[in-house]
């Protein structure tokens, strides 16, 4: 009678069935009860071994079934009980009855307990002890199963024993014939690709057979324990590579468990299809295969390699160090493409080329020759890379669009110009490239429809409008000390609302963050240093962030005050007329001076506004806002510098829009 046409949903039972397939040399759909009985009596089909004898010798047996079963726990009757019980089950296989196996779905009427009791009587076990003998299905017969009766692993609330067809318990007895260790425990292979798991288990059957048949017929057989995840993955890759067609489903799980003692446990390492497919893409290439094999056989780095590849992260083992020359450029680039860094490779190679072109002193050359230069002195490496890029920009060999394309966080506003994620890649190429290697400048990308592109183009447009050659300050070595706010007040207020400039330069704590902008502006200005700056149109800002509700409420307070002040200046001090030149001379220019005190100015202005009567309304010009509400920002921090910038920007915006309206501050983009 054929028992199974297909595998079950139980990994342990499937492994046992695939072990039997390897022993029988035929598929599961051809294996009947008679075949199982023959294999029980002659598993290697050599007439020299029985499953009973092998299981007594194999160290893995007690890890599967503990030492509490009859084979190891009863010197007088144990072997006879074991042999007669399994033989009886395999000789009387049923497929009809009131019970349904919860593991296989097979139906039956004779339970394991009945077979066990019949066996005890037939082998002459003392009748007085039979009733007290634990005959339940427990972990002595099914690993990790908590049964009723004397099994200490049964949960206190357990009320029912698992219903298992006796033949399944007999089939599980073949598991030790394919048992190898993984992480010091037994390995089970659970694969959605059945052909892959069958071939892996067939390999293990051959390994166990070679060890079991090599020694004396009664000698113990030690566990095969020298293999790691890398070994099993290599074998899986070899199997998949030998197939004519690529399998789309390749995921499998490595179960490691023990059923012995009080420390019975189970752990699962999942190997997803994506990881297998990534490894296959490397393994299938003959020039890359030796490197894959070397890494997966290296127990010190294989786990980190697999974790990083699965997480699509960079891997330290690719890079040269004092103990290794690192991997080849070919392997490095293949790996980086797999983890999504393909677009950065061309940039990294080119930046390394620019780094090698720069003129460095002896100490700098020595520093760059270190394999760990980017990490040994991050600040120095960063400064040298930036110097090389600025120098290249001045030669038209590096464009600002290149620069923003390699930022760590291109979507971060205010702009963060950090490119440290490139340093490892850059230094790999710096160490690996030779003078003969052909390196070309990447094509200049169009970033105008990206957030970072819109952000920097706003500043470039404002810079192009500067009539004072303010840009010259950004070309020197102290460029990071230059404050962009005066330029934005003077020129940016002609074109952009305060909200735009605010979002680009101030963080969530209302602090000015301009270092990223300065880095990119310096590259831009060096690129154009031998020509006049491009005159750009007013730039779109639709992708730029919008201040949140708290920020907007604070900005609106400043707007309200600016409007109140303009009304007071025009209607109170100048009788409804506003002289553009006087407004600039008496209001705007004093605010630009370094010694301008915004808090004192606000106190004086609010006092004067309160003392002036609007002749049209008959009411005071007193502001609805106190100076404290303006000087303390929305975070509750005393921030006179920001209040000064915002009011100066709004009043300059009003000044630039005098030809449009004299009563309100202009809010929209030009």
């Amino acid at each position: 009678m054929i028992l199974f046409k297909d595998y079950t949903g139980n990994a342990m039972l499937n492994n046992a069935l695939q072990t039997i397939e390897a022993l029988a040399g035929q598929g599961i759909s051809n294996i009947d009860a008679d075949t199982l009985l023959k294999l029980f009596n002659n598993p290697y089909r050599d007439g020299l071994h029985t499953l009973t004898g092998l299981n007594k010798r194999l160290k893995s047996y007690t890890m599967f079934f503990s030492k509490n079963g009859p084979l190891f726990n009863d010197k007088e009757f144990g072997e006879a009980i074991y042999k007669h019980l399994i033989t009886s089950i395999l000789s009387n296989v049923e497929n009809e009855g009131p019970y349904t196996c919860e593991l296989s779905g097979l139906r039956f009427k004779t339970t394991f307990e009945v077979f066990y009791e019949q066996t005890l009587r037939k082998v002459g076990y003392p009748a007085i002890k039979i009733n007290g003998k634990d005959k339940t299905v427990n972990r002595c017969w099914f690993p990790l199963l908590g049964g009723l009766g004397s099994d200490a692993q049964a949960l206190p609330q357990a009320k029912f024993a698992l219903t298992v067809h006796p033949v399944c318990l007999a089939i599980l007895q073949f598991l030790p014939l394919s048992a190898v260790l993984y992480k010091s425990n037994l390995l089970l292979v659970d694969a959605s690709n059945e052909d892959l798991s069958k071939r892996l288990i067939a390999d293990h059957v051959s390994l166990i057979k070679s060890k079991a048949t090599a020694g004396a017929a009664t000698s113990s057989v030690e566990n095969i324990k020298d293999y790691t995840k890398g070994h099993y993955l290599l074998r899986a890759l070899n199997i998949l590579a030998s197939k004519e067609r690529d399998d789309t489903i390749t995921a499998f799980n490595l179960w490691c468990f023990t059923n012995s003692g009080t420390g019975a446990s189970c752990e699962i390492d999942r190997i997803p299809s994506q990881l297998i497919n990534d490894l296959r893409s490397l393994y299938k290439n003959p020039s890359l295969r030796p490197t894959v094999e070397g890494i997966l056989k290296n127990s010190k780095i294989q786990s980190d390699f697999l974790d990083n590849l699965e997480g699509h992260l960079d891997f330290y083992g690719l890079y040269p160090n004092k103990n290794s020359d690192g991997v080849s450029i070919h392997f490095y680039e293949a790996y980086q493409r797999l983890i999504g860094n393909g677009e950065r490779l061309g940039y990294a190679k080119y930046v390394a080329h620019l780094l090698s072109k720069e003129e460095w002193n002896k100490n700098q050359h020595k520093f760059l020759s270190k394999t760990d230069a980017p990490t040994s002195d991050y600040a120095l490496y960063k400064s040298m890379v930036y110097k090389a890029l600025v120098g290249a920009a001045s030669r038209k060999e590096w464009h600002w669009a290149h620069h923003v394309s390699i930022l760590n966080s291109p979507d971060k506003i205010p702009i963060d110009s950090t490119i440290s994620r490139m340093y490892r890649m850059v230094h790999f190429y710096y160490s690996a490239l030779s003078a003969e290697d052909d390196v070309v400048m990447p094509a200049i990308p169009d970033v105008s429809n990206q957030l970072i592109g819109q952000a920097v183009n706003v500043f470039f447009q404002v810079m192009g409008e500067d009539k004072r050659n303010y840009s010259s300050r950004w070309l020197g070595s102290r460029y990071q000390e230059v404050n962009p706010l005066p330029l934005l007040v003077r020129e940016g207020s002609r074109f952009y609302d305060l909200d735009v400039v605010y979002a680009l330069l101030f963080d969530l704590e209302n602090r000015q963050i301009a270092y990223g902008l300065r880095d990119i502006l310096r590259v831009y200005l060096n690129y154009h240093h031998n020509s006049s700056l491009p005159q750009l149109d007013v730039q779109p800002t639709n992708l730029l962030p919008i201040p949140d509700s708290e920020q907007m409420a604070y900005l609106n307070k400043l707007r309200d005050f600016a409007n109140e002040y303009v009304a007071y200046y025009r209607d109170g001090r100048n009788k409804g007329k506003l002289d553009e030149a006087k407004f600039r001379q008496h209001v705007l220019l004093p605010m630009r001076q370094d010694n301008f005190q915004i808090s004192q100015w606000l106190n004086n202005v609010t006092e004067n506004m309160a003392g002036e009567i609007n002749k049209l309304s008959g009411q005071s010009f007193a502001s609805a806002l106190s100076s404290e509400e303006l000087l303390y920002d929305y975070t509750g921090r005393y921030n006179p510098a920001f209040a000064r910038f915002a009011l100066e920007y709004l009043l300059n915006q009003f000044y630039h829009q005098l030809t449009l309206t004299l009563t309100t501050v202009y809010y929209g983009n030009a």
Side-chain angles (χ1 to χ4, degrees):
M1 181 181 69
I2 300 298
L3 300 175
F4 297 95
K5 293 182 179 180
D6 207 344
Y7 297 109
T8 70
N10 184 276
M12 205 167 293
L13 189 55
N14 288 346
N15 272 234
L17 289 170
Q18 290 175 343
T19 301
I20 291 168
E21 285 183 305
L23 292 168
Q26 52 187 303
I28 185 176
S29 59
N30 296 317
I31 295 175
D32 57 15
D34 289 339
T35 303
L36 290 176
L37 187 57
K38 290 176 182 177
L39 289 175
F40 178 72
N41 292 314
N42 188 17
Y44 293 149
R45 294 182 288 175
D46 57 3
L48 301 175
H49 301 86
T50 66
L51 186 60
T52 304
L54 288 170
N55 280 344
K56 288 197 69 173
R57 295 171 57 203
L58 290 165
K59 288 287 187 73
S60 62
Y61 181 85
T62 55
M63 294 182 70
F64 273 112
F65 302 106
S66 79
K67 292 183 178 181
N68 297 323
L71 201 55
F72 283 87
N73 198 31
D74 190 333
K75 292 183 179 180
E76 183 178 359
F77 295 97
E79 188 170 335
I81 292 173
Y82 182 83
K83 183 177 180 179
H84 193 282
L85 176 59
I86 303 302
T87 300
S88 179
I89 291 172
L90 294 178
S91 300
N92 298 278
V93 176
E94 302 167 341
N95 62 359
E96 296 292 339
Y99 303 111
T100 301
C101 177
E102 296 180 45
L103 302 180
S104 64
L106 295 175
R107 300 187 68 83
F108 64 102
K109 62 181 179 181
T110 307
T111 65
F112 177 76
E113 289 86 346
V114 172
F115 276 115
Y116 206 155
E117 183 168 340
Q118 291 174 350
T119 295
L120 292 174
R121 297 186 186 282
K122 288 181 180 179
V123 300
Y125 194 79
I128 194 173
K129 295 182 179 181
I130 290 178
N131 287 337
K133 181 76 170 176
D134 183 6
K135 300 177 287 294
T136 59
V137 177
N138 53 43
R139 67 188 183 110
C140 296
W141 300 103
F142 197 107
L144 300 180
L145 180 67
L148 299 178
S150 62
D151 195 334
Q153 282 194 322
L155 296 175
Q157 67 268 31
K159 295 181 179 179
F160 303 100
L162 193 67
T163 303
V164 182
H165 196 301
V167 76
C168 292
L169 302 177
I171 287 171
L172 288 176
Q173 300 303 305
F174 288 88
L175 274 175
L177 299 191
S178 64
V180 295
L181 298 194
Y182 174 55
K183 294 184 176 180
S184 301
N185 289 327
L186 294 165
L187 172 70
L188 282 182
V189 179
D190 178 22
S192 50
N193 186 318
E194 293 173 353
D195 185 57
L196 174 61
S197 61
K198 284 172 64 174
R199 293 179 65 176
L200 284 171
I201 289 172
D203 280 355
H204 300 161
V205 169
S206 296
L207 284 171
I208 300 300
K209 180 179 179 180
S210 65
K211 292 197 70 172
T213 57
T218 58
S219 62
S220 62
V221 181
E222 296 294 329
N223 290 316
I224 296 176
K225 55 187 177 181
D226 297 329
Y227 296 147
T228 61
K229 182 191 288 189
H231 165 83
Y232 298 117
L233 280 172
L234 272 178
R235 180 56 189 146
L237 291 172
N238 187 264
I239 291 170
L240 293 169
S242 67
K243 304 185 74 172
E244 293 183 2
R245 293 189 304 172
D246 285 345
D247 292 336
T248 56
I249 301 176
T250 55
F252 64 95
N253 299 325
L254 298 176
W255 297 54
C256 58
F257 76 96
T258 179
N259 191 45
S260 59
T262 58
S265 62
C266 180
E267 179 184 345
I268 303 175
D269 275 356
R270 304 191 184 279
I271 315 295
S273 288
Q274 184 61 54
L275 175 59
I276 293 292
N277 292 335
D278 286 345
L279 286 168
R280 287 171 71 191
S281 69
L282 298 172
Y283 189 80
K284 286 191 296 185
N285 189 315
S287 66
L288 305 182
R289 181 174 297 183
T291 304
V292 177
E293 292 174 337
I295 292 174
L296 292 182
K297 289 178 181 178
N298 188 331
S299 59
K300 294 181 179 180
I301 65 173
Q302 60 170 253
S303 181
D304 289 340
F305 170 75
L306 294 170
D307 288 344
N308 282 281
L309 180 57
E310 183 179 353
H312 283 189
L313 303 172
D314 204 4
F315 173 54
Y316 63 85
L318 304 177
Y319 299 90
N321 55 58
K322 61 182 181 181
N323 299 317
S324 169
D325 293 332
V327 299
S328 67
I329 291 179
H330 192 189
F331 186 91
Y332 181 81
E333 292 179 343
Y335 181 91
Q336 295 297 337
R337 290 189 183 97
L338 284 176
I339 66 172
N341 283 340
E343 293 184 1
R344 289 177 171 257
L345 290 172
Y347 283 107
K349 184 183 294 186
Y350 184 65
V351 172
H353 169 69
L354 296 177
L355 198 61
S356 66
K357 284 182 63 175
E358 197 68 25
E359 294 184 3
W360 307 111
N361 61 38
K362 183 178 179 180
N363 288 334
Q364 289 171 324
H365 272 296
K366 183 178 180 180
F367 171 71
L368 289 175
S369 67
K370 298 172 63 175
T371 58
D372 63 344
T375 55
S376 66
D377 193 333
Y378 171 82
L380 177 58
Y381 196 84
K382 174 184 177 181
S383 66
M384 293 177 71
V385 169
Y386 187 67
K387 179 182 178 181
L389 296 180
V390 170
S394 67
R395 302 188 300 270
K396 294 288 194 293
E397 295 177 0
W398 184 251
H399 192 270
W400 67 267
H402 290 141
H403 204 87
V404 300
S405 296
I406 62 173
L407 301 182
N408 287 0
S409 306
D411 295 328
K412 187 175 181 180
I413 300 294
I415 297 168
D416 182 349
S417 62
T418 307
I419 59 172
S420 56
R421 291 178 186 170
M422 291 286 292
Y423 292 162
R424 236 182 181 181
M425 299 176 72
V426 168
H427 205 63
F428 175 86
Y429 281 115
Y430 181 85
S431 302
L433 290 175
S434 65
E436 292 74 29
D437 288 314
D438 185 26
V439 181
V440 297
M441 183 176 76
I444 298 175
D446 180 7
V447 296
S448 59
N449 292 322
Q450 298 177 23
L451 171 60
I452 185 67
Q454 286 195 0
V456 295
N457 274 327
V458 166
F459 290 109
F460 296 162
Q461 190 259 330
V462 171
M463 188 71 72
E465 297 291 332
D466 182 27
K467 305 299 188 295
R468 301 187 182 185
N469 198 23
Y470 188 84
S471 62
S472 61
R473 304 182 188 180
W474 302 81
L475 296 173
S477 60
R478 302 179 67 179
Y479 72 99
Q480 278 291 2
E481 298 176 10
V482 182
N483 186 353
L485 296 185
L487 173 64
L488 289 168
V489 167
R490 190 173 64 251
E491 303 295 345
S493 59
R494 295 168 54 196
F495 307 102
Y496 303 102
D497 185 25
L498 175 62
D499 296 358
V500 172
V501 176
Y502 174 77
L504 291 178
L505 275 178
F506 292 88
D507 67 7
L508 294 176
E509 296 183 8
N510 224 31
R511 297 172 302 186
Q512 181 186 341
I513 307 293
Y515 66 89
L517 166 66
R518 295 186 186 106
D519 281 347
I520 295 170
L521 276 178
R522 193 176 185 213
V523 172
Y524 176 78
L525 295 172
N526 272 275
Y527 189 86
H528 295 289
H529 81 290
N530 285 328
S531 59
S532 58
L533 290 178
Q535 299 295 300
L536 304 178
D537 294 332
V538 175
Q539 296 296 301
T541 60
N542 58 297
L543 299 179
L544 301 183
I546 299 173
D548 64 27
S549 57
E550 286 188 317
Q551 293 169 326
M552 188 63 77
Y554 177 56
L555 294 180
N556 285 338
K557 286 182 180 180
L558 293 163
R559 281 197 182 93
D560 291 343
F561 182 83
N563 281 327
E564 291 173 345
Y565 176 74
V566 168
Y568 156 72
Y569 188 88
R570 181 196 61 210
D571 297 332
R573 294 182 57 179
N574 293 282
K575 300 179 181 180
K577 299 179 181 180
L578 196 150
D579 186 303
E580 179 181 337
K582 287 184 178 180
F583 184 78
R584 181 175 182 274
Q585 180 180 359
H586 296 301
V587 177
L588 301 184
L589 291 181
M591 296 185 83
R592 295 178 185 176
Q593 297 175 10
D594 292 339
N595 61 355
F596 179 78
Q597 296 293 323
I598 184 66
S599 57
Q600 182 179 343
W601 182 83
L602 281 173
N603 288 332
N604 292 338
V605 166
T606 53
E607 183 179 340
N608 292 338
M609 290 170 66
E612 189 76 33
I613 302 298
N614 189 331
K615 295 180 180 179
L616 294 177
S617 65
Q619 297 180 349
S620 168
F621 283 100
S623 173
L625 297 161
S626 66
S627 59
E628 286 77 12
E629 290 180 87
L630 304 176
L631 293 171
Y632 286 85
D633 64 24
Y634 72 95
T635 69
R637 183 165 58 96
Y638 183 64
N639 198 347
F642 180 80
R644 172 185 174 176
F645 159 69
L647 289 173
E648 188 179 1
Y649 193 96
L650 290 166
L651 293 174
N652 272 269
Q653 192 177 48
F654 168 77
Y655 168 75
H656 291 310
Q657 301 301 325
L658 278 177
T659 57
L660 296 179
T661 176
L662 296 178
T663 57
T664 59
V665 176
Y666 178 70
Y667 292 149
N669 288 344

